[in-house]
Amino acid sequence: MIYRLAACAAAAIALVAAAPLRAQAAPAAPTAAPAAASISVEDFARLPFLSDALLSPDGTRIAGRVSQGGAQHIAIWTVGAPADRQPVLIPSGGSDSFVWAGDRRLLITVDFSFIIRIGTGIYPILLRRVSSYDLDAQKAVSLGSEEAFRQEAIFVDPAGRYVLLSSQANLEREPNVLRIDLATGTAVEVQPRVHGVWSWFADAEGIVRVGVTYGERRTRFYYRAAPGAELRLIDTRRNVDDDSVIDMVRFVSNTDRGIIVTNAETGRFAIYDYDFATDTRGPALFAHPEVDVTQAIFGRDGSLDGVFYEDDRPRVRWLDADMARLQERIDRTLAGHTNMIINSSRDGNRVLLFSSAADDPGTYYVFDQAARRMEIFASPYDVLVGRRFAEVRPVSYTSTDGSRIPAYLTLPPGPVQRGLPLVVLPHGGPFARDSWMFDPQVQFLASRGYAVLQPNFRGSTGYGRAFVERGYGQLGTGMIDDVDAGVDWLVQQGIVDASRVCIMGGSYGGYAAVRAAMRSPGRYRCAISFAGPSDWRSMIRYNSQLAVPQRYVREWRQRVRGEEQTDLDSISTLRHPQLLRVPLLLAHGEQDLTVPIEQSRRLARALERAHAPVETVFYPKSGHGFTDAAESADFMRRVEAFLARHNPAATPPAAPAPAASAAGVPISAASR
């Protein structure tokens, strides 16, 4: 597979290398591109063989995560190398992340999960370690103590000489900060641990300047004004009832001024000027009126260059004039796509970008500005390039409590756009969100004739704190109401046939599929669950963070909001197997550390005892998602056959299910 990637990239480069970047020229789709209906299950089920690509500071190499033979690797290519030149491969786990440390080193962060017991509770704990990979020696070296519990790189020297590592000795102990020489591995403590401080931030010169502590519904800063100065507590005026979070701290070089990302002002994450000397939050540098800032983009001196945010689709707003002009130029060239500049060489000349759309699996490009040449590097889903896919439309509807619920609607290709069969696809998390992006599962279902609805129900992140908080304590009630309301809206619009609706999901979405089918057997003909929890009481004992919005919670001890007021047995599908009256396909990966496979095994046994209509399949190689293409393809084939039996797309079923009730029928829709 690695050779196929290199060959594909080289062929694409040869195709466009001679052509300068043209401001008005958008790449044309093939005139006879095959429709998605002709794509096999195996092609839809293939895992993306490249992700998370990153250009080196000198612009000569690209590192990325690749899949090969069911194993994960980090691969490093030389830009412009011959097609038959193999990349350097570094063995990797699926959760590894990496950044460049200079031109010839990668810092690789590896996550390991293990289980501990605290009292009567059983908890999965994340062990995080950082290593340095030297391209010349072709060798990885662990950084800091071998016994460190959790490490995080908080600053990487642009020249690659050293890294600042926040390091916890154990679960209960706050981290200190080590400066580690990447050539020798020598570690020197530059910031001792401070009681209550779990997050440390350094300035653009590599000086630890701020520690943040969360507790008693209060955020507090410890601040160092200059190198060698003592830390001092500067928080004296924040409201003790303020439940806000500071998501990021950055400094402008050699000043007391900086930038923070927080939701304190409006409940939505925004970017503010901040004076650390006086503990004063200044005006917003960027705040969106409806959604959160997802990422701030900083210049080398710590100044704010731009922001990423997501309303109906991922977007970027550049505050740096040169970058804004570059983005405009790229957007004109690759019109109709989301074009994200990933990073650039230190001289700014060579740029790595990813261009994609909800109906386009996407392509990585390398743009050489001096040469005015944009070259294709690779497409993660190479077998899907050039195919025609269904349009994914942002919509919104009104739920039972009057809330506006944003969603994505995909209709199957073809002239018939009314009275369609539907598959509702609630996302996992549940404190996460669906996005306007290419999703092979969505396109697979659409290619088989189904409309697909992806609701961002209450509790979904990205829409501000108030929307998240509406989901607290609503795992099996309000969130499901929002999903049901989306079905009712589509029926009212005439887009969907009320007698031809199924629901499918993974993780929390898998739970939602079973729970919704149990609550509304007249609304859903069938349900499909992959890796869904079934017993919330045991699930929260096992993993208290599963139902916690991570960006809003900084202490690992904090449990799901609303748990104390919720009867967890009443919303646990395991406790009510007799309520399932429609066919269920229940699947789970045996290596799942997020939701133990016993959650599905126990549910299957309970359903069988209750004589409920359930089919089960368990995958020995897969975890909380598929890491093996063959198992992924098997699941897709089962889904295809299951839907064909219980909710065929070609013609209405002979014995339609009773129509859904009109309760909570939405009253509006918008293509935002």
Side-chain angles (χ1 to χ4, degrees):
M1 181 171 292
I2 300 302
Y3 175 78
R4 181 164 52 84
L5 169 63
C8 170
I13 289 171
L15 192 65
V16 300
L21 181 68
R22 297 178 183 175
Q24 301 297 333
T31 56
S38 66
I39 300 175
S40 69
V41 166
E42 287 72 20
D43 285 347
F44 271 119
R46 290 193 189 193
L47 306 177
F49 60 82
L50 172 66
S51 61
D52 303 326
L54 200 61
L55 187 68
S56 64
D58 62 2
T60 64
R61 294 172 183 81
I62 293 175
R65 191 190 319 280
V66 297
S67 299
Q68 183 182 32
Q72 300 290 314
H73 300 271
I74 296 171
I76 303 173
W77 293 267
T78 299
V79 176
D84 59 353
R85 181 172 174 179
Q86 295 295 309
V88 174
L89 291 183
I90 309 169
S92 164
S95 62
D96 295 5
S97 61
F98 53 89
V99 296
W100 285 98
D103 300 328
R104 304 195 63 80
R105 279 194 181 90
L106 280 182
L107 287 185
I108 302 173
T109 301
V110 183
D111 290 341
F112 308 91
S113 292
F114 65 97
I115 307 302
I116 66 169
R117 294 180 179 272
I118 301 177
T120 60
I122 303 175
Y123 300 89
I125 299 299
L126 196 66
L127 178 71
R128 177 168 291 170
R129 299 300 315 280
V130 180
S131 63
S132 170
Y133 184 85
D134 188 312
L135 271 68
D136 295 321
Q138 295 192 9
K139 178 178 160 184
V141 177
S142 295
L143 302 181
S145 170
E146 293 284 352
E147 298 178 357
F149 171 76
R150 187 176 176 87
Q151 298 176 325
E152 182 179 357
I154 65 170
F155 177 82
V156 181
D157 173 43
R161 296 167 299 180
Y162 68 92
V163 60
L164 297 185
L165 209 63
S166 170
S167 181
Q168 277 181 257
N170 56 55
L171 179 66
E172 297 286 347
R173 196 171 187 182
E174 296 91 342
N176 63 351
V177 180
L178 305 174
R179 174 176 166 140
I180 299 180
D181 186 299
L182 293 176
T184 65
T186 303
V188 177
E189 185 181 66
V190 295
Q191 174 59 61
R193 57 187 291 266
V194 173
H195 178 69
V197 174
W198 295 93
S199 299
W200 291 105
F201 297 91
D203 65 15
E205 306 301 321
I207 306 300
V208 179
R209 297 281 296 276
V210 162
V212 182
T213 177
Y214 299 93
E216 301 175 355
R217 296 175 63 85
R218 185 175 188 145
T219 301
R220 303 200 294 180
F221 279 166
Y222 288 89
Y223 175 64
R224 174 176 288 113
E230 293 295 321
L231 283 174
R232 62 186 180 91
L233 182 64
I234 63 172
D235 178 353
T236 56
R237 294 182 295 280
R238 288 190 186 85
N239 187 341
V240 295
D241 294 326
D242 182 3
D243 199 24
S244 62
V245 169
I246 293 174
D247 194 53
M248 178 180 287
V249 176
R250 290 294 289 264
F251 294 87
V252 177
S253 294
N254 303 314
T255 72
D256 285 319
R257 304 197 68 80
I259 293 162
I260 64 171
V261 179
T262 181
N263 61 353
E265 187 77 22
T266 65
R268 295 178 298 277
F269 283 101
I271 303 177
Y272 298 88
D273 179 77
Y274 200 85
D275 188 323
F276 290 97
T278 62
D279 184 28
T280 304
R281 184 172 64 235
L285 301 177
F286 181 87
H288 193 279
E290 295 182 355
V291 298
D292 292 324
V293 166
T294 55
Q295 184 180 343
I297 310 165
F298 295 100
R300 299 190 188 281
D301 67 347
S303 60
L304 182 67
D305 280 354
V307 297
F308 289 115
Y309 65 96
E310 188 171 0
D311 44 21
D312 60 343
R313 64 187 62 189
R315 301 184 191 275
V316 62
R317 172 77 62 84
W318 290 105
L319 306 181
D320 178 87
D322 291 338
M323 292 301 296
R325 284 191 290 270
L326 174 61
Q327 184 73 52
E328 182 181 5
R329 198 174 169 198
I330 292 170
D331 288 344
R332 286 200 304 264
T333 302
L334 302 171
H337 285 61
T338 297
N339 303 306
M340 291 296 175
I341 296 174
I342 298 170
N343 70 323
S344 60
S345 57
R346 65 170 62 88
D347 63 6
N349 177 57
R350 191 166 280 178
V351 176
L352 179 67
L353 65 104
F354 185 67
S355 177
S356 66
D359 59 357
D360 183 332
T363 300
Y364 285 102
Y365 293 87
V366 177
F367 177 31
D368 188 312
Q369 297 194 72
R372 293 180 53 81
R373 186 174 66 237
M374 183 182 290
E375 299 178 344
I376 294 174
F377 174 63
S379 297
Y381 295 96
D382 60 338
V383 297
L384 302 182
V385 171
R387 306 284 188 143
R388 293 199 307 271
F389 292 101
E391 178 188 5
V392 180
R393 292 187 286 164
V395 297
S396 66
Y397 56 89
T398 302
S399 188
T400 53
D401 65 351
S403 301
R404 183 180 67 85
I405 305 300
Y408 296 96
L409 176 64
T410 305
L411 301 183
V416 178
Q417 301 286 289
R418 299 183 65 79
L420 296 167
L422 173 70
V423 176
V424 187
L425 204 63
H427 62 70
F431 296 100
R433 64 162 291 170
D434 272 318
S435 298
W436 191 81
M437 60 186 296
F438 184 79
D439 187 329
Q441 183 173 244
V442 170
Q443 294 295 340
F444 166 69
L445 292 170
S447 75
R448 270 49 180 176
Y450 297 95
V452 183
L453 180 69
Q454 298 170 271
N456 278 323
F457 43 80
R458 72 187 70 182
S460 297
T461 54
Y463 302 99
R465 186 171 62 205
F467 197 75
V468 167
E469 289 177 345
R470 278 192 207 120
Y472 293 164
Q474 299 291 304
L475 296 173
T477 51
M479 292 182 180
I480 309 299
D481 291 341
D482 295 345
V483 174
D484 291 346
V487 175
D488 295 344
W489 167 65
L490 288 172
V491 170
Q492 288 289 313
Q493 300 296 308
I495 297 171
V496 163
D497 181 346
S499 68
R500 305 171 71 195
V501 181
C502 284
I503 183 167
M504 169 180 172
S507 192
Y508 172 81
Y511 160 78
V514 182
R515 170 72 171 163
M518 286 181 169
R519 290 201 334 167
S520 305
R523 185 179 272 112
Y524 301 104
R525 291 191 64 87
C526 61
I528 301 168
S529 171
F530 181 85
S534 65
D535 180 8
W536 281 111
R537 192 170 301 283
S538 66
M539 190 65 243
I540 290 174
R541 280 201 306 268
Y542 171 78
N543 185 354
S544 63
Q545 300 302 298
L546 180 69
V548 172
Q550 296 300 313
R551 198 179 188 188
Y552 296 81
V553 176
R554 293 305 187 197
E555 292 191 84
W556 69 271
R557 301 170 186 80
Q558 186 166 347
R559 296 164 67 87
V560 56
R561 304 292 185 91
E563 175 194 345
E564 296 80 6
Q565 291 77 39
T566 301
D567 180 354
L568 295 177
D569 286 344
S570 71
I571 64 169
S572 295
T573 55
L574 178 66
R575 306 301 174 190
H576 308 282
Q578 74 284 356
L579 296 181
L580 184 69
R581 302 171 190 170
V582 301
L584 168 66
L585 175 60
L586 187 65
H588 213 121
E590 294 183 1
Q591 306 304 315
D592 195 339
L593 293 176
T594 303
V595 177
I597 192 171
E598 274 305 300
Q599 290 281 318
S600 287
R601 291 196 191 279
R602 292 173 64 200
L603 177 60
R605 291 193 292 267
L607 291 171
E608 288 166 357
R609 287 194 296 269
H611 304 290
V614 60
E615 302 174 29
T616 60
V617 56
F618 302 109
Y619 292 101
K621 296 180 182 178
S622 294
H624 201 55
F626 286 105
T627 55
D628 181 82
E631 291 187 344
S632 175
D634 180 83
F635 179 64
M636 277 194 176
R637 281 192 294 269
R638 290 174 186 269
V639 167
E640 185 175 36
F642 184 82
L643 291 174
R645 288 196 305 274
H646 302 296
N647 193 26
T651 56
S661 70
V665 171
I667 59 175
S668 67
S671 181
R672 295 180 300 159

